Amino acid sequence: MEEKSTSGLMSELMKSESFDGYIKANNEFLKTQSVSDHINQIIAYKGLARADVAKTSGLNVIYAYQVMAGSRKPTRDKLLCLCKAMGLTVDEVQELLKHCGYAPLYPRRKRDAVILFVWEKSKGILDLNEALFQNGEKTLC
């Protein structure tokens, strides 16, 4: 079955006479995967070791493992740290942020613009945090 666009789903939702009808017609297109399952799926797909992701994320290693285990939900900033440790592209980051219920990085916000500008040029969390600090913005972790 073909994937439906977000705008197509929105249109169907607004035109639907009942929520149950919308759910029945579109259940397979709704995201139900947990944050931890999604992160673990990315780690497996990219052939990464969870230990390496935890260590390079800049987060407390125990906290990183708790996120991967599903016992903690990361904040947006901490999720960005994990994204960097997983080597995600900007597009992959945007998708994961939306999946987890967070706003995507927005170039009209100075802090997000710094992150977007530096993301693929940086080698890791330290580079990102340095750029944020030098621009008077709160660091990620």
Side-chain angles (χ1 to χ4, degrees):
M1 182 165 282
E2 192 172 317
E3 182 76 17
K4 291 186 180 181
S5 69
T6 302
S7 60
L9 287 171
M10 177 63 94
S11 177
E12 283 187 45
L13 179 61
M14 293 297 108
K15 291 176 184 173
S16 185
E17 294 194 21
S18 80
F19 185 70
D20 288 341
Y22 170 80
I23 293 297
K24 285 178 185 170
N26 296 293
N27 194 42
E28 65 197 276
F29 302 110
L30 302 178
K31 297 191 181 224
T32 57
Q33 189 177 42
S34 72
V35 172
S36 62
D37 286 347
H38 201 76
I39 289 171
N40 287 312
Q41 181 181 15
I42 293 168
I43 289 170
Y45 176 78
K46 291 190 171 268
L48 303 170
R50 289 170 46 145
D52 291 338
V53 172
K55 288 176 193 168
T56 59
S57 69
L59 300 171
N60 175 293
V61 174
I62 293 170
Y63 178 86
Y65 276 113
Q66 289 172 333
V67 170
M68 290 184 250
S71 61
R72 298 286 297 263
K73 183 180 181 207
T75 63
R76 184 177 186 255
D77 282 355
K78 290 181 179 174
L79 184 59
L80 288 169
C81 292
L82 288 168
C83 287
K84 190 62 182 168
M86 292 185 289
L88 301 188
T89 65
V90 169
D91 289 340
E92 291 169 327
V93 170
Q94 300 290 55
E95 185 61 33
L96 185 57
L97 286 170
K98 288 187 279 186
H99 175 84
C100 295
Y102 294 117
L105 293 166
Y106 187 53
R108 289 186 184 267
R109 293 181 64 210
K110 181 182 174 190
R111 184 169 186 267
D112 284 359
V114 171
I115 294 168
L116 285 165
F117 182 78
V118 177
W119 190 267
E120 296 197 14
K121 297 171 180 66
S122 70
K123 291 183 173 73
I125 296 299
L126 292 176
D127 293 340
L128 275 170
N129 280 336
E130 179 66 25
L132 287 164
F133 180 78
Q134 288 190 357
N135 283 280
E137 297 295 328
K138 179 181 168 257
T139 58
L140 290 174
C141 50

